[in-house]
Amino acid sequence: MVTDDLHSLLAKFVRTNTNVADMQWDRRMSPRLLFNPYSKDYEEKKKTAHYFLLVASILDDQMVGFSENARNLLINLHEKFGTSRLFEITKPHLFGEEIVKYSFYNYLGPRKETIPETLAAVNIFVKFKAEKDLIRYALKFAKPKDFVEGVTKNIERMRDKDKAWTYMRWMARPEPDLEIFKHYSPEDLQVPLTRENASVAISLGLINSTVPYLWKDETAALKAQLKITEYAKRIFLYDPAKADYPFFLLGRWLKRKNLNRNTLKEALQFFEQIQKVTGQPQAHYQKLSRYKSGWEKETARILMQMHISYGYETITFPLPGDKYTPDFILDKEINGRKIVLEPHYEMNLKQSSKYSLFKQTYGHKFMLILLLKNDLISFFNKRNILTSDVCDDVWPIEFVGLLIDKIKSGEYGQDKK
């Protein structure tokens, strides 16, 4: 049973984040799409519908690892092949030979070898079944569920239907979605049973588990999906899929945490507090499937090894004349303040000024710990780059494992009360 106060917090979070554009086409993210997905031109709409069916078909952790990789992969393929050839390729090896060249290939999911075959299957479906016009093809079906059935019967990797329901949300809902299949009513959409959405549902007590068997049992999966959709209708009666993307953002934040009402409530209260401070929604999705440096990889490895939950580049904080996206925000707190870990090889006055602004603005909620090479800490101190107002602590990056061990045991920060 979902309590009224928890439902109220969740409903507020969902409403706050309903206008956040999906990461697959958000113009603020890099790399950018090579076309305008909101174009009103019919030929451009056809292209958009085909392009995002390709994206949806591989939107699976087992295939791409993280959702951002689906975006990166398709944009790179689009740039390589151009629109016409991208949509015409029906031989998987042509996709495969290109995909293995990408620098992020090793960060794709464990079943990445299925991506070329899946993309080729989508092109075959669009070419022969939809006759190169998914908009006209969609008109053959009275309801979104009928279209979903048609897609899942013809594209093997979309047979779990959740990718197809995600695609339908993109195609049928108005902005920030794309509203290309205008004849469908948002009222008839279902919230897909993604792992992120399932995490929210478990935390609410709507379903019991997200073990793999849930997706292998079609009856159990459908029952869970309907429960999530029915709950979403409590917030948006005539547009339940409007809750899908906010649920995704929240479910990502909950990853690797204990899924229960208390954890969910703490997460919602955290986002509410951040919004009060910053004046804007803070459920950003900048988590990367790969880290920018070796020290970031090592920090992430140790955090995961010690089972300390964290977010990597999950929140962007506005600063006076600037902005700052911390590398690691831990769930662990010291005296009511979240711990921020920021690994650095080098430091300059511009960076120290940014950290100082962050400490001044958000220091009551966050403790900033800079991780720097041991032999450079004194160097930066002598040049007044590491003044007392820059951060709460500086730690030798070579001993980040010791720091994290102290944080986990509760030993760190005992002298900072």
Side-chain angles (χ1 to χ4, degrees):
M1 182 69 179
V2 183
T3 59
D4 289 342
D5 61 333
L6 181 57
H7 174 72
S8 178
L9 276 172
L10 181 56
K12 184 177 181 181
F13 173 86
V14 170
R15 291 191 179 98
T16 299
N17 290 283
T18 54
N19 291 321
V20 178
D22 195 288
M23 74 169 66
Q24 300 304 336
W25 61 81
D26 191 331
R27 295 172 183 174
R28 298 171 300 174
M29 291 188 68
S30 180
R32 295 190 177 188
L33 296 183
L34 305 180
F35 63 97
N36 175 15
Y38 294 110
S39 173
K40 302 302 181 183
D41 179 78
Y42 187 82
E43 290 300 316
E44 287 295 299
K45 286 183 177 181
K46 281 170 52 180
K47 178 169 71 177
T48 300
H50 189 160
Y51 182 90
F52 283 109
L53 186 58
L54 289 168
V55 176
S57 72
I58 61 172
L59 206 58
D60 184 316
D61 289 353
Q62 291 294 305
M63 297 173 77
V64 294
F66 291 98
S67 300
E68 286 86 343
N69 279 342
R71 173 184 174 127
N72 291 344
L73 188 62
L74 261 296
I75 291 174
N76 276 277
L77 290 173
H78 191 192
E79 187 172 32
K80 168 65 179 180
F81 295 117
T83 301
S84 298
R85 194 171 176 218
L86 175 67
F87 293 165
E88 289 292 332
I89 292 175
T90 57
K91 295 180 179 179
H93 74 90
L94 296 177
F95 283 126
E97 289 167 2
E98 187 62 25
I99 291 170
V100 296
K101 299 176 184 176
Y102 297 142
S103 60
F104 56 87
Y105 178 75
N106 289 330
Y107 297 98
L108 297 174
R111 301 191 67 182
K112 52 183 172 282
E113 74 281 353
T114 64
I115 293 174
E117 178 187 341
T118 303
L119 296 176
V122 170
N123 283 347
I124 291 170
F125 167 75
V126 175
K127 182 175 182 178
F128 296 105
K129 273 287 184 182
E131 298 177 323
K132 299 186 178 181
D133 190 338
L134 283 164
I135 302 174
R136 187 171 59 193
Y137 176 78
L139 290 171
K140 296 179 180 180
F141 304 99
K143 297 286 186 179
K145 66 178 182 179
D146 301 321
F147 180 94
V148 167
E149 290 292 337
V151 169
T152 55
K153 283 180 181 178
N154 287 279
I155 304 174
E156 183 178 357
R157 296 292 174 184
M158 297 186 76
R159 285 182 183 171
D160 62 4
K161 297 185 181 178
D162 295 307
K163 296 175 189 174
W165 279 115
T166 297
Y167 178 72
M168 288 308 299
R169 190 254 294 174
W170 296 346
M171 294 296 107
R173 287 205 66 260
E175 286 196 38
D177 293 308
L178 306 175
E179 199 179 21
I180 291 175
F181 299 164
K182 288 180 175 291
H183 64 293
Y184 291 140
S185 170
E187 184 179 359
D188 295 322
L189 296 175
Q190 293 182 23
V191 179
L193 184 66
T194 61
R195 278 164 174 74
E196 291 81 9
N197 290 349
S199 293
V200 175
I202 289 174
S203 300
L204 288 168
L206 301 177
I207 60 178
N208 295 324
S209 176
T210 58
V211 294
Y213 300 108
L214 178 60
W215 282 272
K216 291 180 180 179
D217 185 333
E218 187 174 341
T219 301
L222 177 60
K223 186 177 180 181
Q225 184 188 22
L226 291 176
K227 283 186 176 181
I228 296 173
T229 301
E230 286 303 313
Y231 183 83
K233 285 183 177 180
R234 291 180 59 187
I235 307 173
F236 302 112
L237 179 60
Y238 300 109
D239 190 3
K242 192 172 184 177
D244 177 32
Y245 200 58
F247 278 7
F248 165 80
L249 296 169
L250 182 57
R252 170 171 280 192
W253 182 264
L254 292 170
K255 191 173 184 179
R256 292 189 298 272
K257 297 177 176 62
N258 293 323
L259 300 176
N260 55 57
R261 293 182 182 88
N262 288 334
T263 304
L264 176 60
K265 188 172 183 177
E266 288 172 2
L268 292 167
Q269 289 172 335
F270 169 71
F271 281 117
E272 186 175 48
Q273 290 169 355
I274 293 301
Q275 186 175 3
K276 286 179 180 178
V277 173
T278 64
Q280 62 184 44
Q282 288 298 326
H284 291 293
Y285 41 73
Q286 297 170 358
K287 182 178 174 68
L288 303 179
S289 60
R290 56 200 182 279
Y291 301 96
K292 298 186 185 75
S293 72
W295 283 117
E296 289 182 6
K297 287 181 182 179
E298 179 64 9
T299 302
R301 185 189 68 79
I302 296 172
L303 287 169
M304 288 187 284
Q305 185 180 47
M306 295 190 177
H307 304 289
I308 295 179
S309 296
Y310 67 91
Y312 176 75
E313 293 195 342
T314 50
I315 298 177
T316 296
F317 294 88
L319 299 170
D322 207 340
K323 60 183 179 180
Y324 168 49
T325 304
D327 281 345
F328 298 92
I329 300 180
L330 311 191
D331 275 3
K332 290 281 187 180
E333 294 184 357
I334 295 178
N335 301 325
R337 300 161 74 200
K338 294 278 186 183
I339 301 171
V340 173
L341 300 182
E342 188 70 42
H344 257 295
Y345 278 111
E346 299 289 342
M347 276 280 291
N348 56 45
L349 287 172
K350 183 178 180 180
Q351 289 168 330
S352 67
S353 176
K354 178 184 290 189
Y355 297 141
S356 178
L357 282 174
F358 175 76
K359 185 180 176 184
Q360 292 172 36
T361 310
Y362 304 102
H364 62 297
K365 287 291 182 185
F366 295 90
M367 173 180 285
L368 175 59
I369 304 175
L370 295 182
L371 306 175
L372 299 171
K373 290 188 70 175
N374 194 33
D375 58 353
L376 290 178
I377 292 175
S378 60
F379 174 84
F380 294 138
N381 275 319
K382 288 176 183 178
R383 282 156 180 77
N384 290 321
I385 293 175
L386 281 177
T387 53
S388 60
D389 64 331
V390 170
C391 61
D392 293 280
D393 197 8
V394 179
W395 193 272
I397 200 165
E398 294 90 342
F399 305 109
V400 64
L402 177 60
L403 169 65
I404 294 172
D405 183 58
K406 286 179 175 290
I407 289 173
K408 182 177 182 179
S409 67
E411 182 181 347
Y412 181 85
Q414 292 300 310
D415 58 343
K416 300 180 182 298
K417 293 182 179 179

